[in-house]
Amino acid sequence: MVEKITSYLKKYFSNGPKFIFMSVSIILIALTVLIFSTRKTITVSVDGQDKQITTFSRTYKKALSNNNIVVGPKDKTTPSLDSRVEEGKKISIKRAVKVHVEADGKQVTIESAEQNVEKMLQAEGIGLQDFDKVYPAKDLAIKDGLKVVITRVETKEVKENKKIDYTTVVKKDDEMEQGKNKVIQEGQLGEKETVTKVIYENGKEVSRKVITEIIKKQPVQKVVAMGTLSTYTPSRGGKVAYTKSMRMRATAYTADYESTGKSPGNAGFGITATGTVAKRNSNSYSSIAVDPRVIPLGTKLYVDGYGYAVAEDTGGAIKGNKIDLFFNSSSEADNWGVRWVNVYVVK
């Protein structure tokens, strides 16, 4: 610029003192203008603290360096350091702070000048999946010494086929001796398909929940018959199956006149109330008289000490908890006398 001015002066003015004076004056003016045109005053804000500096530098990077203002590699500036310096403008510097990050089984300390936790993680290339947990909150402003913990959350759906246990139903069977049982129907396992949502945090299972369940095969219940029939073993041997037992007063009678008021030749002689011929059969069922209100006629019984009997007859004196046992002869009836016996209703 100065050379152009000098060349211009030589062209229009002759050499001499006048020329020299004018040349020097113009050069000084030009230098003064140049200096003032490149001199700029700017504001530098460091973490909110402002100060003004004067600079002749073209970029903020050079201006800060010339004023011994160091910008760290993780510090953030607005505008950028490579921006052109403009008179009266402001450059803001946010100093990076140390943040401790725990993620993926590692603990690292990083420097960051980002606005909050989320932007810090993004800047450091620490990715987050949809369900990952971040503590503290992602919108929290970072500060020196802050600890950030990232919990990796993974969700899986597990499909399984499972067996369904069958139930066992017990049915009473009064045709079967007590203490015995019989399988009427075998049980069969069912099958179901379940889908379970399993949640893992940092690789460890923390919860599981069944979200769908489809029955593919219904179970078949097992049916067992359980005997309810009681048994009695007489002293003479054998086994008597019965449904009910009673303690009764037992007398004895025959077909003769003393017992029935009828004599041989009488149409009703030896005939029971049910129309059968009274009998005594030690190897089978004998006839006995009962109170039908207590023991229905036709009921088969076992009388302890007497044997098997059937309720075929009635009697005027046989009321309530009494029975009258038939014998073929008066001597047998007299020998029996009157006894308290156990009477079993035979099945």
Side-chain angles (χ1 to χ4, degrees), residues 10-27:
K10 284 181 178 180
K11 183 178 181 181
Y12 292 98
F13 297 95
S14 60
N15 291 331
K18 185 178 179 180
F19 168 74
I20 294 172
F21 172 77
M22 290 187 67
S23 296
V24 171
S25 298
I26 293 172
I27 289 171

Side-chain angles (χ1 to χ4, degrees), residues 231-261:
T231 59
Y232 165 68
T233 304
S235 58
R236 67 180 65 179
K239 186 178 287 187
V240 178
Y242 66 93
T243 59
K244 182 181 179 181
S245 67
M246 297 169 282
R247 186 73 173 166
M248 306 191 81
R249 186 172 181 269
T251 55
Y253 76 105
T254 65
D256 60 20
Y257 184 83
E258 276 188 22
S259 296
T260 64

Side-chain angles (χ1 to χ4, degrees), residues 35-227:
I35 290 171
F36 277 97
S37 66
T38 58
R39 181 179 181 273
K40 304 175 187 70
T41 300
I42 62 173
T43 301
V44 178
S45 177
V46 180
D47 290 336
Q49 299 294 319
D50 294 350
K51 78 172 187 175
Q52 289 187 330
I53 62 172
T54 300
T55 180
F56 297 95
S57 302
R58 297 186 62 187
T59 65
Y60 287 108
K61 182 177 183 180
K62 191 67 174 176
L64 296 175
S65 177
N66 288 340
N67 283 271
N68 297 317
I69 300 174
V70 178
V71 179
K74 289 295 187 75
D75 294 345
K76 294 192 74 172
T77 63
T78 306
S80 68
L81 292 175
D82 294 328
S83 299
R84 188 181 183 88
V85 175
E86 296 181 28
E87 170 64 26
K89 294 295 184 178
K90 181 178 182 178
I91 181 170
S92 296
I93 302 172
K94 187 177 182 184
R95 298 294 190 191
V97 296
K98 289 184 178 181
V99 180
H100 308 290
V101 179
E102 182 179 319
D104 303 318
K106 299 177 182 178
Q107 294 185 5
V108 295
T109 299
I110 61 177
E111 291 186 349
S112 177
E114 297 296 333
Q115 181 180 355
N116 54 37
V117 172
E118 183 176 26
K119 292 185 179 299
M120 179 270 293
L121 294 176
Q122 290 174 350
E124 295 297 324
I126 302 175
L128 295 174
Q129 300 301 317
D130 291 340
F131 299 104
D132 288 347
K133 297 178 181 179
V134 179
Y135 180 84
K138 290 187 283 187
D139 59 357
L140 183 72
I142 64 172
K143 60 182 179 180
D144 192 41
L146 180 68
K147 183 176 181 179
V148 177
V149 178
I150 299 173
T151 302
R152 299 298 186 187
V153 180
E154 182 182 8
T155 300
K156 290 184 179 179
E157 291 188 358
V158 180
K159 184 183 291 186
E160 297 177 287
N161 286 327
K162 295 183 177 181
K163 299 296 182 183
I164 305 175
D165 287 337
Y166 57 78
T167 58
T168 300
V169 176
V170 178
K171 294 185 175 181
K172 293 181 179 180
D173 188 342
D174 59 5
E175 298 289 339
M176 189 184 305
E177 186 178 329
Q178 189 176 41
K180 293 184 178 181
N181 55 63
K182 179 175 68 176
V183 176
I184 299 174
Q185 176 178 282
E186 290 290 353
Q188 295 181 20
L189 294 172
E191 187 176 336
K192 63 182 177 181
E193 181 184 271
T194 63
V195 177
T196 304
K197 182 179 180 181
V198 185
I199 298 177
Y200 301 88
E201 291 187 359
N202 291 335
K204 294 182 180 180
E205 182 180 325
V206 294
S207 70
R208 62 172 53 216
K209 180 181 180 181
V210 175
I211 54 177
T212 61
E213 186 173 85
I214 301 173
I215 304 297
K216 303 183 78 173
K217 180 183 176 183
Q218 290 287 356
V220 176
Q221 64 182 199
K222 182 178 182 179
V223 181
V224 178
M226 182 179 68

Side-chain angles (χ1 to χ4, degrees), residues 305-343:
Y306 180 73
Y308 287 99
V310 59
E312 294 180 322
D313 210 353
T314 59
I318 307 305
K319 302 296 181 184
N321 202 33
K322 295 179 181 179
I323 56 174
D324 206 10
L325 310 179
F326 181 79
F327 286 95
N328 291 322
S329 66
S330 296
S331 61
E332 289 178 301
D334 291 340
N335 188 53
W336 178 268
V338 178
R339 305 179 190 179
W340 283 92
V341 294
N342 292 323
V343 179

